[in-house]
Amino acid sequence: MLIARSVEECREARAQLVGTVGLVPTMGALHEGHRSLMRRALAECDHVLATIFVNPTQFAPGEDFAAYPRSEEADLAACEDEGVSLVFIPPVEEMYPEGASTTVSVGELSTILEGASRPGHFDGVATIVTKLFAVTTPTRGYFGQKDAQQLLVIRRLARDLLLGVEVVGCPIIREESGLAMSSRNAYLTDEERAQAAALSRGLRTAETGWLGGLRDAATLRQMVHDEIAAQPLARIDYVSLADEETLAECDGRVTRDALLSVAVRFGKARLIDNAVLRVPPTSR
Ligand code: PAF
């Protein structure tokens, strides 16, 4: 496994990779979720290229940039273990050279839900992902469905900027309790972690209702809200049921595929999770 720490080294090493390349961009603190992306990339591409970069521009002021978990040695071992061919692990000044002033913004999709709670977050994500695509020129990029809005933003930028990279969304990986895996779970105390399982429980309850024919948007949102609100340590940021493509909030009877998503704070951690509610082809 090759390790590149500068843009130049990465470009040189990338040029040696023959065949298709699957890119797995990460901010490190790798867990089973990241590993599942690497495995999928390896199954579908000749090489996997992973990046490890805690991107300062996607953290809003007052967020956890400085405290974000960093574990380079363990991360490199995980990449090696998963058969990664090349890891790009640049310092900040490589990705944001002195005076860099160009940003990528995908517009309205960036300003709602996560974008409303975390101003500037998606511009930071869109900018760094565009740069990583430019440096690594992958065939495909692999991203987790846990960050559903991020996945939409990245699909949009790849399409709008004609980047020629296929964006692949991969399933959410969960702990046994149902808690979606996230590097930020490391912030949870045991008590918070136990209560945080309510996110997936709430989503599952609503999903079961949906599968049984329940279509009222407010009722579906309320089911998730009630399950989470019953946890004394939970501070709900939002429960959303929105059109899967535009993220416009659903109203009344839901007739199209929809994204049910939540953001909840537990102590120092802000957790997100979601479920896609699909309209069966027979009732379209
Ligand atoms: O999902 C993440 O870990 C980050 O947002 C990403 C895509 C690596 C960009 O920094």
Side-chain angles (χ1 to χ4, degrees), residues 210-211 213 215 253-257 278-284:
W210 173 267
L211 293 172
R215 290 291 181 271
R253 188 176 164 76
V254 182
T255 54
R256 289 161 54 98
D257 292 351
R278 297 214 179 279
V279 176
T282 48
S283 49
R284 271 173 210 275

Side-chain angles (χ1 to χ4, degrees), residues 25-27 34 53 55 58 68 121 125 128-129 132 143 147 150 154:
T26 80
M27 297 208 299
H34 298 109
F53 180 65
N55 173 36
Q58 69 188 77
Y68 195 83
H121 170 68
V125 170
I128 195 63
V129 170
L132 292 172
F143 299 87
D147 297 293
Q150 167 172 286
I154 293 168

Side-chain angles (χ1 to χ4, degrees), residues 9-10 90 127 139 150 154 165 181 212 245:
E9 277 169 20
C10 185
T127 302
T139 317
Q150 167 172 286
I154 293 168
V165 177
M181 290 205 182
E245 278 169 27

Side-chain angles (χ1 to χ4, degrees), residues 212-279:
L214 183 63
R215 290 291 181 271
D216 181 59
T219 309
L220 288 159
R221 273 188 213 103
Q222 194 65 45
M223 287 167 98
V224 183
H225 186 278
D226 289 351
E227 184 73 44
I228 300 170
Q231 310 305 313
L233 300 176
R235 283 175 295 140
I236 298 177
D237 190 346
Y238 62 77
V239 176
S240 158
L241 182 62
D243 182 275
E244 197 206 359
E245 278 169 27
T246 64
L247 296 186
E249 281 303 309
C250 300
D251 211 9
R253 188 176 164 76
V254 182
T255 54
R256 289 161 54 98
D257 292 351
L259 180 74
L260 184 57
S261 64
V262 293
V264 183
R265 288 178 196 280
F266 281 93
K268 282 189 281 180
R270 183 174 178 284
L271 307 179
I272 57 173
D273 200 350
N274 67 80
V276 179
L277 306 182
R278 297 214 179 279
V279 176

Side-chain angles (χ1 to χ4, degrees), residues 2 4 31 45 86 92 108 114 124 168 194 204 214 230 241:
L2 293 170
H31 50 68
C45 306
L86 170 60
V92 172
E108 172 140 19
E114 284 300 284
V168 182
R204 251 197 347 259
L214 183 63
L241 182 62

Side-chain angles (χ1 to χ4, degrees), residues 83-96:
V84 170
S85 297
L86 170 60
V87 182
F88 180 38
I89 176 164
V92 172
E93 55 283 9
E94 279 291 309
M95 298 316 290
Y96 295 99

